[in-house]
Amino acid sequence: MNDNVHEFDAHDFFRSDRFVNDPYPYFDYLREQSPVVREPHQGIVMVTGYAEALEVYNDPVRFSSCMSTTGPFAGCPIPLEGHESEDISGLIETYRDKTPFHDQLPTMDPPAHSAHRSLLMSLITPRRLKENEAFMWRLADQQIDSFISKGECELMGAFAQPFAVLVVSDLLGVPAEDRIKFRRNLIRQEQEGPGVGGVSGQVDHSPLTFLYDTFSAYIEDRRRNPAGDILTGLAKATFPDGSVPEPIDVARIAANMFAAGQETTVRLLSYAFQFIAERPDIQLRLREDRTLIPNFVEECLRTEGPVKGDFRLAKQPTRVGGVDIAAGTFLFIANGAANRDARKFENPAEFQLGRSNARLHLAFGAGRHACPGAPLARAETVVSLNRMFDRTSNIRISEKVHGPAGARRYSYLPTFILRGLTHINLEFDPVAAG
Ligand code: HEM
């Protein structure tokens, strides 16, 4: 234990912007005290150890996901006080339909979670993923066409955001004529603010309304008029017990894919490109040996994963990492901290291109809720890097926007959930098509 009062203790990780630019020293500071430790401002138990994070992720009997994305910060309708030494599973169920985002997959617990998750998995078949990847190669080229001749771009607006929206649109079979509408609606919403997890704790439901309405209409239409397309496949998908979901159930799953897959993938892409632009030596190695790219992406996810952490709610009095936890306690599983636990990753703060266990990171969570979009996010990043390498030489940071090497200016999303740049301006030399 560290008996000294540290400067970090004065700052509330969830409410202040003290750790926005660099949360890692704070995570290390917590882990040095204990891989499981209660932070003093909100009373939230911070899980920063790798093994302890896995233990919590893998135990839905002791830990509920009911407020996994918001924690207590969008309001907690469950009257938790006075039940610290009881099993509160029943209490959670009584108030579940009042909790934020209760109708969405990330907040569900078994058995409802298992049924809805299997509906989602039926949409992401290996065949669909393969077809989707073929689409990504074509799409990456089209996106690059739109800015290549300028020799510079703001990567998120010019590439990553439209790319991420259109990849999920293709995966779910959104008709080509509707894709502009998706791009407009979803990107506009995203730029309006960070939504959940912002230090303001605001919740933004509007992109979901667009997605719910549009997908419900698709499903209803394809049930009436089967067309042999991907949406017809979605319309026919059933729960594992054979029952037919309501159109809104399918629409929610589709909306989850957009909501969860957008911001996250955009941040991964931006970090991967920031890194190769800052490190010409690594850029050159990747350009020369493209087989190194997948592990490079894993190491990006390990060192700078886009999701700083997820919440769980203790359903019963329990113990993790030697720390007693009362029922009704919120835990924050800090993926970004677990990924830098020296008990799992040697020299954890160091970026090692060839790190052999890089892929064991927890950037995609673990257990029943582990990110089903992981293969997409990985493929999107591998494809984007490859295509940008094909079409350019010498990708570098724009000094005009970010300042000279050694005195860079980067700004990060002011949220406690997401880790990532707000924008990234690059310059490059276009390569003539061969
Ligand atoms: C680098 C990109 C991504 C990261 C870092 C990421 C991270 C995560 C994490 C940590 C979770 C677990 C949350 C929890 O346990 O509470 C999760 C769940 C989820 N992700 Fe991702 N994600 C990414 C991309 C995507 C993509 C591309 C999609 C879909 C197209 C997607 C869809 C989902 C969905 C639907 C869930 C909820 C799963 C469930 O609750 O069973 N994600 N993601």
Side-chain angles (χ1 to χ4, degrees):
M1 278 299 275
N2 185 344
D3 291 330
N4 301 325
V5 176
H6 194 285
E7 180 261 329
F8 286 169
D9 288 329
H11 302 278
D12 179 345
F13 172 76
F14 296 99
R15 289 290 188 204
S16 100
D17 56 9
R18 170 68 179 79
F19 305 113
V20 161
N21 284 350
D22 185 5
Y24 301 109
Y26 177 65
F27 286 157
D28 289 344
Y29 167 67
L30 291 178
R31 202 187 318 92
E32 275 159 24
Q33 294 169 67
S34 164
V36 177
V37 68
R38 191 179 304 267
E39 58 76 46
H41 302 275
Q42 306 287 342
I44 290 175
V45 169
M46 307 291 280
V47 182
T48 55
Y50 183 90
E52 294 76 10
L54 270 184
E55 181 181 338
V56 178
Y57 269 133
N58 283 324
D59 195 342
V61 173
R62 286 188 292 158
F63 304 102
S64 167
S65 284
C66 63
M67 280 181 273
S68 64
T69 51
T70 58
F73 295 102
C76 177
I78 310 169
L80 296 170
E81 258 182 60
H83 303 283
E84 290 76 7
S85 49
E86 301 163 20
D87 187 313
I88 59 164
S89 305
L91 195 66
I92 292 174
E93 293 318 316
T94 306
Y95 288 88
R96 185 178 283 278
D97 65 357
K98 306 209 164 31
T99 56
F101 301 111
H102 62 89
D103 56 357
Q104 292 185 55
L105 193 65
T107 65
M108 292 179 186
D109 287 320
H113 176 260
S114 318
H116 288 256
R117 169 100 182 186
S118 104
L119 193 57
L120 180 143
M121 294 316 279
S122 74
L123 315 183
I124 317 186
T125 59
R127 188 173 145 212
R128 273 309 298 135
L129 285 173
K130 219 168 147 218
E131 291 164 350
N132 189 228
E133 191 175 325
F135 171 79
M136 287 180 203
W137 289 101
R138 296 194 300 275
L139 177 65
D141 262 333
Q142 284 165 18
Q143 281 308 135
I144 295 171
D145 284 343
S146 69
F147 59 76
I148 184 84
S149 61
K150 295 183 194 137
E152 62 179 14
C153 72
E154 192 289 295
L155 188 83
M156 287 189 203
F159 184 84
Q161 287 173 331
F163 188 71
V165 172
L166 293 171
V167 164
V168 179
S169 302
D170 175 76
L171 183 79
L172 297 178
V174 172
E177 63 273 19
D178 289 354
R179 290 189 188 176
I180 303 271
K181 192 169 72 182
F182 271 69
R183 193 178 150 161
R184 205 175 46 231
N185 271 280
L186 298 177
I187 296 176
R188 193 189 62 219
Q189 302 290 357
E190 191 182 305
Q191 284 171 343
E192 277 168 8
V196 176
V199 283
S200 65
Q202 282 167 353
V203 180
D204 181 1
H205 286 275
S206 42
L208 292 181
T209 311
F210 162 75
L211 290 165
Y212 286 175
D213 292 350
T214 312
F215 273 95
S216 295
Y218 286 152
I219 301 306
E220 280 161 17
D221 175 70
R222 295 308 193 279
R223 283 185 181 169
R224 279 194 308 267
N225 314 303
D229 60 358
I230 298 162
L231 286 173
T232 306
L234 301 199
K236 285 190 185 154
T238 55
F239 284 126
D241 67 0
S243 61
V244 178
E246 293 297 321
I248 186 67
D249 288 325
V250 185
R252 281 191 192 115
I253 295 286
N256 277 169
M257 307 269 291
F258 280 100
Q262 220 43 62
E263 280 260 34
T264 45
T265 308
V266 168
R267 304 307 144 188
L268 172 61
L269 282 167
S270 60
Y271 178 62
F273 279 94
Q274 179 195 27
F275 194 90
I276 55 129
E278 286 287 7
R279 290 285 304 270
D281 56 326
I282 301 243
Q283 183 178 155
L284 194 65
R285 283 189 66 196
L286 296 178
R287 282 180 180 278
E288 285 173 356
D289 183 355
R290 304 291 182 89
T291 64
L292 299 174
I293 294 179
N295 208 58
F296 166 78
V297 174
E298 298 307 323
E299 191 64 344
C300 288
L301 283 159
R302 187 189 69 80
T303 53
E304 283 280 357
V307 177
K308 275 185 259 193
D310 312 293
F311 293 96
R312 293 293 186 270
L313 183 64
K315 289 159 76 174
Q316 48 184 256
T318 186
R319 223 174 139 75
V320 184
V323 173
D324 288 326
I325 295 170
T329 302
F330 281 96
L331 294 88
F332 185 74
I333 314 174
N335 305 324
N339 287 340
R340 289 172 181 236
D341 182 345
R343 294 173 303 167
K344 185 69 186 176
F345 301 103
E346 212 174 282
N347 294 328
E350 202 175 279
F351 191 104
Q352 295 176 3
L353 188 54
R355 187 183 287 278
S356 59
N357 66 351
R359 206 180 152 93
L360 297 183
H361 62 73
L362 300 182
F364 292 119
R368 287 166 185 256
H369 288 269
C371 179
L376 250 82
R378 288 180 159 127
E380 286 180 61
T381 316
V382 170
V383 167
S384 303
L385 286 164
N386 267 294
R387 271 296 181 258
M388 279 293 278
F389 288 161
D390 293 339
R391 307 280 308 269
T392 65
S393 64
N394 187 16
I395 299 173
R396 52 200 182 270
I397 300 293
S398 162
E399 300 205 346
K400 233 171 17 197
V401 177
H402 296 292
R408 297 274 202 238
R409 296 179 301 272
Y410 289 120
S411 72
Y412 292 88
L413 291 173
T415 95
F416 57 75
I417 292 285
L418 288 175
R419 167 71 178 160
L421 296 164
T422 55
H423 60 283
I424 174 84
N425 289 69
L426 301 174
E427 293 172 4
F428 43 79
D429 302 323
V431 167

